[in-house]
Amino acid sequence: MKKLQYAVIGLGRFGSSLAKELIQLGYEVLGVDKREANVEELGDQLTHVVLADWNDEEVFRSLGIRNFDCVVIAISEDIQASIMAAILCKEQGVKKVVAKAMSEIHGRVLQKVGVDRVIFPERDMGIRVAHQLASPSLLDYIELSKNYTIVELSVPGKISGKTLRELDCRGRFGCSIVAINRHEEVIVAPVAEDAVHENDVMVIIGSNQQIERFEDSIY
């Protein structure tokens, strides 16, 4: 099977962290930055690293961006360059373009020029931390839409030993336990006879209201 290839344009804190994690996951990654220090730092950590000015259209085209499965535009300090990079990627037929946005307006412009996914790292992390602070039992929080989320909840002693049938999350609250993380073991798509134990982590999907009602019932 062909290994997926990613290009990350902009190797600041976000871009470099993303690129290195993709490498850890086993993918091939081209890193592009116009700052020599960033290129030198990641030179032996990514598949390829190129020193290039993303404001130069000809240089940008010479990178062969169209050959990558996904391009991540992680330019943070230059909104105009971010938008131009997105336009050039779409013009060259990149299969999937993901771009970091600095503001809601920046994000809307990126969507208008055809970016497949716009991400707001600072905003999204702020939302996750806020939910974790508001609910100490909440270990992680991923927003799927305005109304639906995936959360990780630690199992309290109150329900330790109960099976999913006994908890009846779907019937009583409308949400579903889709995985149980137990130390180094992960039970994906657990069945009704599977039990949860104290300090297990439940991965739950549902609406915000459904999950909140379930959480209130077990703590």
Side-chain angles (χ1 to χ4, degrees), residues 127-199:
I127 290 172
R128 293 173 74 174
V129 171
H131 280 271
Q132 290 168 350
L133 291 174
S135 177
S137 59
L138 183 67
L139 303 179
D140 203 357
Y141 169 96
I142 300 174
E143 185 178 43
L144 299 177
S145 69
K146 289 184 177 180
N147 298 317
Y148 283 85
T149 57
I150 295 177
V151 303
E152 289 185 347
L153 291 175
S154 59
V155 175
K158 180 179 177 179
I159 62 170
S160 183
K162 289 186 177 292
T163 65
L164 300 195
R165 186 186 304 279
E166 291 173 311
L167 292 174
D168 192 21
C169 292
R170 184 186 292 273
R172 294 171 60 199
F173 308 102
C175 54
S176 299
I177 299 175
V178 294
I180 301 170
N181 193 334
R182 180 172 299 145
H183 303 298
E184 296 183 358
E185 177 189 11
V186 179
I187 303 171
V188 179
V191 297
E193 288 71 32
D194 283 321
V196 295
H197 301 282
E198 191 168 8
N199 297 322

Side-chain angles (χ1 to χ4, degrees), residues 8-131:
V8 179
I9 302 171
L11 299 175
R13 284 182 298 178
F14 172 72
S16 61
S17 176
L18 174 67
K20 287 187 287 188
E21 186 63 22
L22 287 170
I23 287 288
Q24 289 296 316
L25 292 172
Y27 300 112
E28 295 183 359
V29 180
L30 165 70
V32 182
D33 202 288
K34 64 179 182 180
R35 292 155 294 198
E36 190 171 352
N38 289 351
V39 170
E40 290 179 353
E41 182 180 348
L42 294 171
D44 59 351
Q45 298 183 57
L46 307 183
T47 311
H48 301 289
V49 185
V50 175
L51 179 65
D53 186 349
W54 46 63
N55 288 303
D56 188 325
E57 187 173 332
E58 289 305 314
V59 170
F60 194 91
R61 293 183 185 279
S62 71
L63 296 173
I65 290 295
R66 67 167 61 87
N67 299 317
F68 288 84
D69 299 288
C70 176
V71 175
V72 180
I73 302 169
I75 303 169
S76 58
E77 76 281 8
D78 189 338
I79 291 177
Q80 181 176 336
S82 165
I83 294 167
M84 284 304 301
I87 292 171
L88 290 171
C89 284
K90 298 308 291 187
E91 284 183 347
Q92 293 185 53
V94 176
K95 300 172 187 174
K96 184 175 183 179
V97 180
V98 177
K100 173 185 176 182
M102 298 301 295
S103 65
E104 293 291 341
I105 293 176
H106 183 197
R108 289 202 296 270
V109 174
L110 289 169
Q111 290 174 330
K112 291 289 186 182
V113 300
V115 167
D116 299 284
R117 181 181 177 189
V118 177
I119 53 178
F120 300 84
E122 289 84 2
R123 183 200 69 181
D124 294 346
M125 181 55 70
I127 290 172
R128 293 173 74 174
V129 171
H131 280 271

